[in-house]
Amino acid sequence: MSTTDTDAPDSGASDAAARALSTAPVEEAEPESGSGDGPAGGPRLGVLGWARWFWRQLTSMRVALILLFLLSLAAIPGSIIPQTSTNPVKVSDFLKSHSVLGPVYTKLGLFHVYSSVWFSAIYILLFVSLAGCILPRSWQFIGQLRGNPPRAPRKLDRMPAYATWVTDAAPDDVLTAARGTLRRRRYRVAPGEGSLAAEKGYLREAGNLVFHIALFGLLIAFAWGTLWKSDGTKLVVPGPAGGFTNNQTQYDDLSHGALFNPDDMAHFGLTLDDFHAAYQTSGPTKGTPTTFYADVTYFGADNKDHKTRIRVNDPLNIEGNKIYLTSHGYAMNVTVKDGKGNVAYSGPVPFLPEDGNLTSQGVIKVPDAVDSKGKPEQLGFAGLFTPTTTIDPVMGPQSTFPALKNPTLFLTAYYGDLGMDAGLPQNVYVLDTASKNLHQFTVGGQPLKMPMVVGDTLKLPNGAGSITLDGVSQWADFEIVHQPGIDLALGSALAMLVGLAASLFIQRRRIWVRALPGADGRTVVELAGLGRTESPKAAEELARLVDVVHAQAPSVPEEPASPSTTAPEDSSDKEHA
Amino acid sequence: MIDIAAGVNEQFANLSNYLVYSAMAVYTLAFLAHIAEWTFGSRSKVARSSAALPAGSGTSAPAVKVTKRGGGTAVLERPKVVTRGGDDRGIEDGKGAAGGDEQGELYGRIAISLTVLAFALHFGAVVFRGLSVDRAPWGNMYEFSVTLGLVAVAAYLVLLALGRSVRWIGLFLVTAVLLDLGLAVSVLYTSSDQLVPALHSYWLWIHVSCAIICGAIFHLGAVATILYLFRDRYEVALAAGRANGRFASVWARLPAAATLDKFAYRINAAVFPLWTFTIMAGSIWAESAWGRYWGWDPTETWSFITWVAYACYLHARATAGWKGRKAAYLALIGFACFLFNYYGVNVFIVGKHSYAGV
């Protein structure tokens, strides 16, 4: 990319001096069409020529700007159309309700915009374009650092800031004075023939390069994190039996990147000791949680138990994995006895919340039960749990507050075959009540139904057994995330921020001083400054330098002798005075 | 849990509401005073002879100036630094809303005084809102809007106090703040309350306050950009000798297009790194709250789009063939994205950022 400074005045002399002052990327002038070296110029272009043309186009500012703009446009559909990665349920709902649009969207990858071919194409092209721009600029900048500031242009009065006067001081004295001042102001100064060239603010370009290079770091971190990521959830009920160890089979559901390897999973585990929640007790947001946290015991690579508390916003970090508390609900601690009076099941069974007040539903499956005659017969229970129970005349039992103020479990019971032996994966929260092999217990022709409070026992008909509600505990749902590359992402982002600040707030500017003997033997002093037009700083800085140099080389009180002072004084001078 | 500890200090909450309404009333008075300022200004000579703008250029080449003072001794002044403008047309800034009219000037000063008063009330409203719940007063859209308006006015008053010539923005800023507050109290109002646990984080202070500052300052930048577009068209028309549109006298009193463009650029360039930091802070918070630092949540996506749009603007403005009006349109697109992210995404698209009600 050309680095001609567009902010410099348009004279040839200053153009050369201003080269590479601006850090701003610059649009390359379109080559004249028909000149023979462009594609419009005719069929002369070989493969190499085309490649060169394509490369020049790709790394031009115009194409980079278009790609950048396309990138923001391309990101829009993903925020409006449901995405598989964030909300698969919404996607399937959308597909069901849009029989025409759905397949079209699927074809276009609109349900996974950010991993779609066209979105990837845009950002990959953008990064290639960026690389094609940044690499040459980095070399160029290194060259500038190793070289000297460009020599003073012939016509200094063409520069954006300029001052001149005639003095009796010797040219060398003037240059020495200017040089000392510039050095003190931390300019890089290079002497020339009867002149000085000074430059400052290299950090602007450095920051600019750092910012753009850090973008690559961010991209690499993002790719690394996506390819090797694993992200799973696990519902944990309190007690050692409900504990979790990090193993692919232990997850309720686990999604992972393309290069994830289950053998690389870190060794750790945890058990839930206790879960606490508090809720807003009044006001418009009554019932919303004000705080919740889980007390857990965990072990890592050292296999030693540690106790800690996991809160929202405050995940547990073990072995490069982060464990987040995502949701919670109630678990029924039940004991089920079968027809022979043996304990067929005992422990907590999680119920899933259905609303903000934690009205919950769940099922209890007891596959290893026998009937009163000792014949195997599986038992199943479907229940509705309300922590603060209110019986609505129309809707039936409902919870009006999420805390355990008046907990009731409404149970109905089944016997027969739960269908668990078919070898097919089964939803643990649903009973297949439509199955022919599963029968509901009835009393007097009506389905058996009973509201239970803690301590109640429901005896099943025909001596089939009983179920006791021993207590109610709370389960916690954890999300376990392993995402490598986070440190690189954070480091890159910080580098971007620093680079950005440097490239936007630091001014790069040049000052030239020339002191040559004039026709009358006196010294003509000329000073010029060049900076970006956004800032009046270049002129202010030059004025301060003029003050210092002028004090040491005062002007001669005679008629102007400088060659550039032929212009008559106009009104604008008086304003300045 | 005890209500008072967890709950809301109703007295403070009510006081905050009264203060918001009082502030709106005073802003309205300031708005009227600004209107009076512009109206009186339009009858001023400067405005009526708007076509008579001096086309003075900064280019001149004085050398040493010698002035004779008492006693005939020649006293040397230091050499002048001569500046050559870059792109500007050499057109000077307009004379301001009052256009030199004395009465207009008086109303202008009244408007600023009223704005300061309204700002004080507005500030009280935000403080008491925060005190009523013992947390940062930007936990929902209502609070966000009210605080954003406050920061926009604060930025304006700070620039004024620093002696920058920003009085021309007064009317447009007060109008925007009134719209913002009006929308807040009518559509977005949420009574003072505690937040869900996900918002109990010091990142609420950092991330959201940065977003508010960015929004407020982008706001100023966008107002300046819009005015630039009008003034630029006016200057082009002026050069063609047909600057006699209905609002020509308004545009004539604004700063020069080059000045407005520079102002907008400085504002946007200054706040762009802060916007970058806002997104980063959000990512860090998301990482600790949701388990990923970037998940293309609608709000994240739109903050990214906003970022890219402003990045386009910053690049375009420094590129020949794009600077000027084209770059200005990009800046406005960036601000539109910010607005959509705030109003559109929060109201119409449900993402993870939509908490605490609208």
Side-chain angles (χ1 to χ4, degrees):
Chain A
M1 168 178 312
S2 146
T3 44
T4 310
D5 190 345
T6 53
D7 287 321
D10 49 354
S11 80
S14 52
D15 247 12
R19 189 155 296 145
L21 172 65
S22 165
T23 58
V26 169
E27 172 67 311
E28 196 171 345
E30 273 296 288
E32 288 287 313
S33 62
S35 62
D37 60 343
R44 295 270 164 74
L45 228 50
V47 175
L48 201 68
W50 273 103
R52 203 176 284 150
W53 176 82
F54 179 75
W55 180 249
R56 226 179 34 218
Q57 289 297 308
L58 185 63
T59 55
S60 79
M61 191 60 215
R62 187 170 46 119
V63 172
L65 265 176
I66 290 169
L67 285 172
L68 202 56
F69 198 69
L70 272 181
L71 185 69
S72 62
L73 275 184
I76 294 175
S79 72
I80 295 163
I81 299 164
Q83 298 292 294
T84 323
S85 57
T86 49
N87 205 334
V89 180
K90 261 192 169 175
V91 174
S92 54
D93 286 353
F94 187 93
L95 283 171
K96 266 178 221 155
S97 53
H98 297 80
S99 54
V100 182
L101 268 185
V104 177
Y105 279 14
T106 310
K107 263 231 163 100
L108 292 174
L110 285 173
F111 296 116
H112 58 98
V113 166
Y114 306 110
S115 54
S116 68
V117 178
W118 45 274
F119 190 79
S120 312
I122 293 171
Y123 74 74
I124 288 170
L125 277 176
L126 186 63
F127 271 92
V128 171
S129 163
L130 186 58
C133 186
I134 285 302
L135 282 178
R137 274 180 76 158
S138 300
W139 289 125
Q140 207 176 4
F141 182 58
I142 289 170
Q144 285 171 16
L145 284 182
R146 294 171 58 165
N148 279 326
R151 254 183 274 163
R154 208 165 44 83
K155 288 187 174 170
L156 281 180
D157 58 327
R158 292 271 187 89
M159 285 295 145
Y162 175 74
T164 183
W165 70 92
V166 180
T167 179
D168 278 330
D172 280 351
D173 295 346
V174 173
L175 291 179
T176 312
R179 185 185 189 141
T181 312
L182 287 168
R183 276 273 164 82
R184 267 194 303 282
R185 296 204 179 134
R186 300 172 62 191
Y187 272 84
R188 286 184 65 195
V189 185
E193 256 175 74
S195 65
L196 285 180
E199 184 164 4
K200 190 180 176 176
Y202 289 85
L203 274 178
R204 183 189 181 92
E205 179 71 359
N208 187 21
L209 293 172
V210 164
F211 170 79
H212 286 103
I213 292 167
L215 281 174
F216 284 92
L218 201 60
L219 183 73
I220 291 166
F222 207 75
W224 183 10
T226 309
L227 290 173
W228 276 275
K229 182 178 181 163
S230 70
D231 182 347
T233 57
K234 174 67 182 175
L235 187 151
V236 179
V237 292
F244 163 82
T245 47
N246 189 32
N247 185 309
Q248 203 175 359
T249 56
Q250 283 258 321
Y251 283 90
D252 294 333
D253 99 81
L254 178 71
S255 60
H256 54 75
L259 299 177
F260 163 80
N261 181 355
D263 296 338
D264 296 339
M265 291 177 88
H267 175 67
F268 67 87
L270 67 82
T271 53
L272 177 65
D273 300 330
D274 206 357
F275 183 89
H276 301 269
Y279 307 91
Q280 200 89 262
T281 50
S282 62
T285 54
K286 181 184 172 195
T288 56
T290 52
T291 175
F292 54 82
Y293 57 85
D295 286 327
V296 299
T297 304
Y298 70 92
F299 65 87
D302 60 356
N303 275 323
K304 278 185 196 145
D305 281 350
H306 309 273
K307 285 191 180 297
T308 191
R309 183 168 283 181
I310 304 180
R311 301 166 187 273
V312 178
N313 276 326
D314 188 11
L316 168 63
N317 200 337
I318 326 174
E319 310 291 329
N321 290 256
K322 287 204 169 167
I323 301 172
Y324 300 86
L325 178 60
T326 55
S327 62
H328 63 107
Y330 290 107
M332 305 301 118
N333 297 326
V334 293
T335 302
V336 179
K337 290 182 176 170
D338 64 11
K340 284 288 180 194
N342 301 320
V343 175
Y345 179 84
S346 181
V349 180
F351 273 40
L352 298 185
E354 300 203 304
D355 59 27
N357 286 322
L358 298 184
T359 302
S360 308
Q361 287 219 5
V363 301
I364 302 156
K365 294 182 182 180
V366 187
D368 303 320
V370 294
D371 65 9
S372 54
K373 293 172 193 117
K375 209 178 95 195
E377 182 161 69
Q378 296 183 326
L379 295 174
F381 302 88
L384 177 77
F385 176 72
T386 46
T388 299
T389 312
T390 310
I391 308 287
D392 185 284
V394 183
M395 311 275 286
Q398 269 193 315
S399 177
T400 50
F401 194 72
L404 290 173
K405 284 192 171 169
N406 177 22
T408 314
L409 171 64
F410 300 87
L411 267 190
T412 170
Y414 298 85
Y415 63 96
D417 182 6
L418 295 171
M420 292 169 79
D421 306 323
L424 294 169
Q426 222 189 10
N427 189 334
V428 293
Y429 299 105
V430 179
L431 270 186
D432 185 12
T433 51
S435 159
K436 281 180 290 186
N437 304 324
L438 200 61
H439 317 284
Q440 192 162 21
F441 282 109
T442 53
V443 178
Q446 291 294 313
L448 172 74
K449 262 186 192 167
M450 183 176 158
M452 299 170 76
V453 295
V454 173
D456 280 359
T457 299
L458 169 65
K459 280 210 181 321
L460 299 174
N462 315 327
S466 68
I467 180 166
T468 307
L469 180 62
D470 302 322
V472 176
S473 58
Q474 295 192 72
W475 54 259
D477 198 34
F478 293 103
E479 183 172 1
I480 298 117
V481 180
H482 176 63
Q483 185 166 26
I486 282 193
D487 295 336
L488 179 62
L490 183 63
S492 303
L494 288 175
M496 271 171 65
L497 197 62
V498 173
L500 190 61
S503 73
L504 285 173
F505 299 141
I506 292 175
Q507 304 289 333
R508 192 164 179 189
R509 59 261 191 206
R510 291 190 182 136
I511 285 181
W512 292 281
V513 183
R514 178 173 285 147
L516 287 174
D520 55 355
R522 287 178 163 149
T523 306
V524 179
V525 182
E526 282 183 295
L527 280 87
L530 172 68
R532 284 173 61 80
T533 49
E534 266 74 41
S535 167
K537 263 189 190 162
E540 288 163 15
E541 249 184 325
L542 192 73
R544 283 201 297 275
L545 182 67
V546 166
D547 276 345
V548 176
V549 180
H550 187 249
Q552 301 192 28
S555 41
V556 184
E558 256 177 50
E559 69 275 10
S562 153
S564 60
T565 52
T566 46
E569 291 180 355
D570 63 19
S571 59
S572 65
D573 284 343
K574 278 162 199 137
E575 266 171 39
H576 286 298
Chain B
M1 195 170 280
I2 315 157
D3 262 14
I4 295 161
V8 178
N9 185 326
E10 293 292 343
Q11 263 177 317
F12 282 175
N14 287 334
L15 181 57
S16 166
N17 289 350
Y18 289 134
L19 284 170
V20 167
Y21 281 106
S22 315
M24 284 178 71
V26 182
Y27 280 129
T28 311
L29 293 176
F31 170 79
L32 293 173
H34 272 304
I35 292 287
E37 180 191 17
W38 282 93
T39 315
F40 280 114
S42 73
R43 64 171 199 196
S44 75
K45 252 187 181 169
V46 179
R48 269 181 288 144
S49 56
S50 58
L53 275 176
S57 110
T59 315
S60 59
V64 182
K65 243 168 70 177
V66 183
T67 27
K68 301 260 180 192
R69 287 204 186 156
T73 322
V75 178
L76 293 176
E77 290 185 358
R78 79 160 169 75
K80 295 283 171 296
V81 171
V82 181
T83 54
R84 284 161 57 98
D87 310 314
D88 53 31
R89 305 187 173 100
I91 295 178
E92 284 190 356
D93 291 347
K95 293 266 190 236
D101 183 86
E102 239 172 74
Q103 226 166 336
E105 176 64 22
L106 177 68
Y107 275 109
R109 288 178 183 278
I110 291 174
I112 291 174
S113 311
L114 287 169
T115 309
V116 172
L117 175 62
F119 173 78
L121 295 167
H122 195 166
F123 183 75
V126 171
V127 168
F128 278 107
R129 181 80 179 193
L131 287 177
S132 77
V133 277
D134 265 332
R135 59 167 169 80
W138 42 78
N140 51 48
M141 282 186 79
Y142 168 73
E143 293 170 5
F144 191 103
S145 289
V146 171
T147 313
L148 190 138
L150 182 77
V151 175
V153 178
Y156 163 65
L157 292 179
V158 164
L159 287 174
L160 270 183
L162 289 176
R164 303 290 159 88
S165 56
V166 287
R167 273 183 60 177
W168 48 270
I169 212 172
L171 172 65
F172 310 98
L173 179 78
V174 169
T175 312
V177 168
L178 271 174
L179 283 174
D180 168 65
L181 287 181
L183 215 54
V185 295
S186 58
V187 181
L188 306 174
Y189 184 74
T190 318
S191 36
S192 202
D193 215 337
Q194 293 299 334
L195 298 175
V196 294
L199 287 178
H200 294 180
S201 168
Y202 52 88
W203 287 108
L204 176 73
W205 287 93
I206 302 168
H207 169 63
V208 185
S209 63
C210 285
I212 289 173
I213 295 171
C214 290
I217 304 210
F218 279 145
H219 205 135
L220 287 181
V223 171
T225 307
I226 292 171
L227 293 179
Y228 157 75
L229 287 172
F230 282 117
R231 169 80 190 197
D232 182 62
R233 204 176 55 186
Y234 164 77
E235 284 181 8
V236 170
L238 192 66
R242 46 178 174 78
N244 43 16
R246 187 194 277 187
F247 291 105
S249 99
V250 171
W251 314 136
R253 280 175 282 160
L254 286 175
T259 310
L260 287 170
D261 185 42
K262 250 178 229 181
F263 178 82
Y265 170 76
R266 281 198 202 151
I267 290 244
N268 287 333
V271 85
F272 185 70
L274 187 66
W275 181 242
T276 312
F277 176 74
T278 305
I279 298 176
M280 276 174 59
S283 287
I284 296 172
W285 188 6
E287 204 272 329
S288 65
W290 299 331
R292 82 287 186 291
Y293 58 88
W294 193 263
W296 297 108
D297 175 72
T299 305
E300 289 172 353
T301 306
W302 277 94
S303 65
F304 170 75
I305 295 171
T306 309
W307 189 85
V308 171
Y310 274 107
C312 274
Y313 163 72
L314 291 180
H315 282 101
R317 198 172 173 291
T319 305
W322 285 75
K323 59 171 73 176
R325 297 187 75 90
K326 275 192 207 165
Y329 288 128
L330 285 172
L332 289 184
I333 289 174
F335 187 64
C337 290
F338 182 90
L339 284 185
F340 182 78
N341 197 8
Y342 180 50
Y343 292 111
V345 173
N346 278 327
V347 176
F348 301 115
I349 305 176
V350 180
K352 281 194 160 206
H353 277 76
S354 323
Y355 325 77
V358 164

